[in-house]
Amino acid sequence: MMIVTVPRIDDIPPAERFAAWRALCELTSIPMELRSDHEHDFRANVRGGVDIGEVMLTYTSVPSLRNERTAAHIRRSDPELYHLRLTLRGESDVCHGDAETTVGARQFMLTSTSAPYLAVCERGRVDGMTVTLHPSLLPFPPAELQLLLGRRLSGRSGIGAMLADFLTRLATESDAYGPADAPRLGTVAVDLLNALLAHELDAGAEALAENRLTPESRRRTLRLRIQEFVRRNLDRPGLTPASIAAAHHISLRYLYRLFEEQGHTVSAWIRAQRLERCRRDLADPALGDTPIHVIAARWGFSHAADFSRAFRSAYGVPPRDFRHRALAANR
């Protein structure tokens, strides 16, 4: 992925930090009025945009701050973009479109650069991430999106939680991905974002929005939901392709087809996830006294010999040797 680097605010003399922050904001082509109670000691942080395909991710951490974008600012410059903001810590009072609300941790808000906006953070530091994208990536008429502007959208459960987890991992593990991964990661981000927006519309609008998603996006979103369901239930002995299909109200044949499009079977993917959980537990010093067969059984492997063969095939070493090396490295 391409990461656009920016200077660290803390590397700038305290009296100049707020002016530097304002200058950085001016570079975004989205002019606004900025004020802060900490202008003389502005300890803010911005992590340069992570470019994933057609969307950009930006991380910010700010103390007391007031952002206001007025009609005059919009006339001066409007790139006609949408922002989906995820608050990670703290809370902000926001007035946007026809809505006024408070946004807290693990909550989203959709905003448009084409509408006036006021956000006030005055109850402590606020950390968050922003997804910037062009309207062409959202398969909804502007009138429908208008219904969501300035509304608090949950990132604590369901599709919102999936998107929040995905974005958080992108921010914390950006070094793990290469340039070739960016388009694929961007596609996943847009698919989840569109699914969240569709979910948040009222019943009639939601049905309309889902119909506008392409068949490919619907399949990808369903596959992501299924994969998240599997991860949450890996320790259940009754987790089978049949039970997964039933839980998602699809046929077993369609479930198989969804995974075949990714080049593996449902059972193989479940086994790989269970092996990864075993690998993680075997490397955990806190579980160093737990017998290997107990860890294996916890994640669905009832036969020790079968587990040992599967683990060695996946990681190249027997589970006992892997544990010995991992625990020795942690001492």
Side-chain angles (χ1 to χ4, degrees):
M1 291 185 291
M2 182 179 74
I3 301 179
V4 182
T5 57
V6 297
R8 283 177 50 85
I9 296 296
D10 284 350
D11 293 338
I12 300 172
E16 302 175 16
R17 289 175 187 165
F18 187 68
W21 182 269
R22 297 182 70 169
L24 283 174
C25 292
E26 287 292 325
L27 293 175
T28 65
S29 300
I30 308 173
M32 63 183 68
E33 180 66 26
L34 301 178
R35 296 180 183 178
S36 175
D37 294 334
H38 296 80
E39 292 186 17
H40 301 295
D41 187 20
F42 192 68
R43 298 183 181 276
N45 216 338
V46 57
R47 192 174 303 155
V50 179
D51 189 352
I52 52 171
E54 298 181 279
V55 301
M56 181 78 74
L57 299 182
T58 307
Y59 170 87
T60 56
S61 177
V62 298
S64 164
L65 187 66
R66 176 189 177 96
N67 298 352
E68 184 173 14
R69 180 166 165 79
T70 66
H73 289 123
I74 294 169
R75 288 193 297 271
R76 175 180 157 193
S77 175
D78 183 13
E80 299 182 354
L81 298 172
Y82 283 101
H83 291 152
L84 186 72
R85 169 79 174 179
L86 169 64
T87 299
L88 301 173
R89 182 180 69 165
E91 58 182 24
S92 307
D93 299 319
V94 181
C95 177
H96 187 58
D98 298 325
E100 295 184 23
T101 190
T102 298
V103 185
R106 294 282 293 191
Q107 292 177 328
F108 289 99
M109 175 172 284
L110 181 70
T111 64
S112 167
T113 62
S114 302
Y117 174 85
L118 172 64
V120 180
C121 316
E122 56 185 9
R123 292 185 291 278
R125 180 167 292 274
V126 176
D127 299 345
M129 297 178 61
T130 300
V131 182
T132 302
L133 70 166
H134 193 272
S136 62
L137 298 176
L138 303 178
F140 314 103
E144 290 184 14
L145 291 176
Q146 187 73 25
L147 299 173
L148 298 180
L149 292 183
R151 280 183 48 192
R152 190 172 53 232
L153 311 177
S154 178
R156 300 172 181 174
S157 62
I159 298 172
M162 293 172 62
L163 177 58
D165 291 342
F166 178 75
L167 295 177
T168 303
R169 291 193 66 175
L170 280 181
T172 57
E173 301 176 1
S174 58
D175 292 342
Y177 310 109
D181 297 317
R184 293 186 287 269
L185 293 171
T187 296
V188 173
V190 171
D191 285 341
L192 282 173
L193 190 154
N194 280 326
L196 172 63
L197 297 183
H199 177 75
E200 291 291 343
L201 294 170
D202 61 31
E206 180 182 6
L208 184 61
E210 289 284 354
N211 288 335
R212 287 194 175 93
L213 292 174
T214 66
E216 292 80 9
S217 290
R218 284 199 296 271
R219 286 199 301 273
R220 281 193 293 265
T221 300
L222 176 57
R223 186 163 50 241
L224 288 167
R225 289 175 181 168
I226 291 171
Q227 289 174 342
E228 179 62 20
F229 173 86
V230 169
R231 291 189 184 100
R232 292 198 310 267
N233 292 279
L234 284 172
D235 58 342
R236 294 178 56 186
L239 184 69
T240 64
S243 68
I244 295 169
H248 291 83
H249 309 290
I250 60 175
S251 70
L252 192 56
R253 182 176 180 180
Y254 188 62
L255 176 68
Y256 288 147
R257 192 184 313 147
L258 284 173
F259 279 77
E260 286 169 359
E261 291 174 357
Q262 298 296 295
H264 44 239
T265 66
V266 183
S267 296
W269 193 85
I270 294 173
R271 173 173 285 235
Q273 298 304 305
R274 283 175 161 163
L275 284 169
E276 179 58 21
R277 295 296 179 91
C278 291
R279 186 198 66 79
R280 183 195 65 187
D281 285 359
L282 289 172
D284 187 349
L287 299 175
D289 293 330
T290 304
I292 292 176
H293 73 272
V294 172
I295 291 176
R298 177 184 300 164
W299 297 112
F301 295 95
S302 55
H303 300 290
D306 291 344
F307 167 68
S308 183
R309 282 193 296 269
F311 191 96
R312 182 166 189 164
S313 176
Y315 300 108
V317 293
R320 188 177 304 278
D321 292 349
F322 172 84
R323 168 183 260 183
H324 177 76
R325 297 175 188 174
L327 295 182
N330 287 328
R331 289 187 186 130

